[in-house]
Amino acid sequence: QTHKNIEIIVVNDGSKDGSEAIIKGFFDERILYISLEHRGVSAARNYGLKQAKGDYAVFFDSDDLMLPHYLETLNRIIAENSGVQLLAAKYNYYKDGKTKQLLVLQNLPEGWYSRSLFIKGNILACNYCIHIKNKPFHLFPEERELASMEDWLFLLSNLENQKIFIGNEICLSMREHNERSMNNNQKVIVARKKATDPFLKAVVEGYI
């Protein structure tokens, strides 16, 4: 990354693939390696967030590619927008050397957006940044049945009383492959139903 003032927290969620030896082979005082029993992505992220010393946190999945200017771009947005709590840059997909961009995200002007943008679904995946230093925020839901919906629910809960700033620059690429969690249709359907039931109940009762 062109922005060097960072800490890197690697949380191994119970894998047995030699991750520790690989990570420690890239020794850097900015890297914290943590190994946990397998509890799922949300529990791993929440644990990592609790260890973080920085002001802001970003999330990074194994099928993502963080372009060199990503953190520098986020840092610029933070500097230019006083008090920003949530922010994001745009991303594209890549497969077999080709890239494509999500149309709804491609046509989205740079600026501030409320929770209403995400009511129908999460167009950012986990590609966002949140202010965590001395600022209250909601953690990821750790119920295993909500796997694949955790990023969406995290956004919805943290956008209840604030907005997110989305920059126009493409700063990440997500690798398209058959093992992506969102490609497991039945699992996603079950998770989405469980995730949306509380919101539908709130609508019926007049809270939303």
Side-chain angles (χ1 to χ4, degrees):
Q1 290 293 300
T2 54
H3 182 74
K4 303 297 184 183
N5 186 22
I6 61 174
E7 62 176 343
I8 302 165
I9 300 175
V10 181
V11 182
N12 181 357
D13 183 36
S15 72
K16 307 297 181 182
D17 58 1
S19 297
E20 184 172 2
I22 295 170
I23 295 300
K24 290 185 175 178
F26 292 94
F27 176 76
D28 189 311
E29 61 183 9
R30 298 174 300 175
I31 299 175
L32 173 63
Y33 177 84
I34 301 166
S35 184
L36 303 176
E37 293 182 2
H38 178 55
R39 293 171 53 203
V41 63
S42 289
R45 287 182 184 167
N46 288 340
Y47 192 89
L49 280 169
K50 292 172 183 177
Q51 314 311 309
K53 299 186 177 82
D55 293 336
Y56 288 81
V58 299
F59 310 101
F60 189 52
D61 280 352
S62 59
D63 45 11
D64 296 346
L65 175 65
M66 188 183 291
L67 301 180
H69 60 285
Y70 178 42
L71 298 181
E72 182 179 353
T73 300
L74 294 180
N75 192 57
R76 174 183 55 78
I77 292 173
I78 292 167
E80 294 175 353
N81 297 274
S82 177
V84 62
Q85 177 79 355
L86 276 159
L87 61 149
K90 294 183 179 180
Y91 64 89
N92 59 22
Y93 293 99
Y94 73 98
K95 183 178 182 180
D96 300 327
K98 298 179 180 179
T99 62
K100 63 178 181 179
Q101 193 173 357
L102 193 66
L103 189 60
V104 63
L105 193 59
Q106 180 180 345
N107 295 331
L108 202 67
E110 178 172 287
W112 293 95
Y113 292 91
S114 68
R115 186 166 67 168
S116 61
L117 177 66
F118 303 95
I119 292 297
K120 291 184 179 180
N122 181 12
I123 62 173
L124 292 177
C126 73
N127 301 318
Y128 43 75
C129 174
I130 185 168
H131 192 184
I132 61 172
K133 191 73 168 182
N134 302 322
K135 292 283 186 178
F137 64 95
H138 297 279
L139 293 169
F140 288 92
E142 295 191 10
E143 294 92 332
R144 298 294 292 275
E145 299 86 355
L146 294 173
S148 76
M149 293 290 113
E150 67 280 337
D151 300 320
W152 184 46
L153 291 172
F154 182 90
L155 269 181
L156 289 177
S157 59
N158 283 292
L159 284 171
E160 184 175 1
N161 298 310
Q162 59 196 331
K163 293 184 177 182
I164 184 171
F165 188 94
I166 301 178
N168 196 48
E169 195 165 357
I170 295 176
C171 295
L172 301 107
S173 285
M174 296 174 62
R175 182 167 62 92
E176 277 284 347
H177 57 91
N178 294 333
E179 282 72 43
R180 286 188 67 222
S181 60
M182 295 303 290
N183 288 335
N184 187 337
N185 293 338
Q186 191 58 42
K187 182 179 178 182
V188 170
I189 290 169
V190 171
R192 181 174 286 274
K193 183 180 185 303
K194 185 174 179 63
T196 54
D197 280 349
F199 291 98
L200 292 175
K201 183 175 183 293
V203 170
V204 171
E205 295 178 356
Y207 294 112
I208 296 180

